[in-house]
Amino acid sequence: MSLRITTLAERPEFAESLWDMDTAWPEFMLNDPIADLFYAVATTHYADYILVADDSDEPGRMVARGCMIPFNSRDGELPEDGWDAVIRRGWLTRDSGTKPDAVSALEITIRKDLLGAGLSRHMVAAMRERAARLGYSELLAPVRPNQKHLEPRTPATEYAFRTRADGLPYDAWLRVHVRAGATVEKVAHRSMTISGTLGEWRKWTGLPFDAEGPVEVPGALVPVHCDVTHDHAVYVEPNIWVRHSL
């Protein structure tokens, strides 16, 4: 594969199909209400912060995308509500017309049929380079560890700092970041919150959601809390803050 990575601003023809790429995201993950503060305006307001990748041998068909958002950091604080926080702060920064002092990664998504092909490290490298070109001294990221869903009952604080014999993180996605130069900082315990009625959760997951208490959902990093009496379920996802010095 001859990978070509550019910004959406440089390749505006990708705007209409940016979200059409076949991905491995579970459906429930697409229902965080905070996401609309970025994704609804991403192609019109954040084209310089979106990376698109295609294969020059198959031009025009995306193989990966990456999204970042500029925001005001409030003196370098890494908030507990990581992913939701940077989107909300990014929206407030843009709405107020103030100059951002930080930038955070939001996602790097690889086309489903190319998972495991090694594209993620190229996207991380390109994201670091782009953030530096935009004038930032560091790139933050509330990372969603890609193997945590295999052990949803493990506390995130234990999982985040688990390492292999070679000293690298146990989690494969964290390893990509650390190999690129990042440091693992802390857990964002409530990085993303997704709530819905039991009917909505049944639609999103195909599970019955008919018993009180924690429900293990495929793809979820922690159990979803099901409240049958009050007809709702809530998922509070922890992410792991990493910091890339540029």
Side-chain angles (χ1 to χ4, degrees):
M1 179 183 295
S2 181
L3 192 64
R4 175 172 50 181
I5 304 174
T6 63
T7 66
L8 182 63
E10 295 169 303
R11 303 286 301 284
E13 65 269 23
F14 280 112
E16 290 188 7
S17 60
L18 190 63
W19 317 118
D20 295 340
M21 187 174 65
D22 187 24
T23 74
W25 290 108
E27 185 176 354
F28 74 89
M29 287 291 296
L30 308 179
N31 287 277
D32 180 349
I34 298 295
D36 283 344
L37 297 179
F38 173 80
Y39 288 94
V41 296
T43 60
T44 54
H45 290 85
Y46 295 107
D48 284 328
Y49 290 84
I50 294 175
L51 298 177
V52 291
D54 66 345
D55 182 352
S56 60
D57 296 328
E58 191 183 5
R61 187 184 181 202
M62 271 203 312
V63 299
R65 68 172 182 254
C67 299
M68 298 181 287
I69 189 168
F71 69 105
N72 281 316
S73 65
R74 301 180 187 175
D75 299 323
E77 170 199 2
L78 296 176
E80 287 285 353
D81 50 340
W83 198 84
D84 283 353
V86 294
I87 290 181
R88 187 172 57 252
R89 292 182 188 183
W91 183 88
L92 289 170
T93 299
R94 181 173 63 84
D95 186 62
S96 64
T98 56
K99 184 178 179 179
D101 63 7
V103 64
S104 176
L106 290 179
E107 65 161 281
I108 289 177
T109 300
I110 309 299
R111 204 173 72 201
K112 191 174 182 179
D113 62 319
L114 294 173
L115 289 172
L119 299 181
S120 58
R121 63 186 176 90
H122 296 291
M123 293 299 291
V124 170
M127 192 171 277
R128 285 170 54 97
E129 180 181 353
R130 182 60 185 162
R133 284 181 176 272
L134 287 166
Y136 297 97
S137 62
E138 63 181 17
L139 170 67
L140 302 172
V143 172
R144 185 177 199 265
N146 64 359
Q147 292 168 281
K148 176 67 172 69
H149 69 99
L150 300 175
E151 41 185 296
R153 302 278 177 166
T154 300
T157 46
E158 174 187 329
Y159 185 90
F161 297 98
R162 186 189 302 170
T163 58
R164 307 187 309 182
D166 61 4
L168 288 170
Y170 167 82
D171 186 80
W173 194 206
L174 286 175
R175 281 200 302 277
V176 171
H177 281 274
V178 169
R179 282 174 170 153
T183 56
V184 178
E185 297 283 317
K186 59 178 279 189
V187 173
H189 289 91
R190 52 183 181 88
S191 191
M192 178 183 289
T193 301
I194 299 172
S195 62
T197 65
L198 300 187
E200 288 173 324
W201 276 98
R202 291 173 188 130
K203 177 184 176 182
W204 297 338
T205 66
L207 298 175
F209 274 90
D210 56 0
E212 199 83 11
V215 178
E216 293 188 12
V217 171
L221 307 193
V222 295
V224 177
H225 177 71
C226 177
D227 187 331
V228 174
T229 302
H230 298 98
D231 190 29
H232 71 260
V234 180
Y235 175 62
V236 181
E237 177 172 292
N239 288 164
I240 301 170
W241 276 113
V242 305
R243 188 190 304 270
H244 290 262
S245 294
L246 306 175

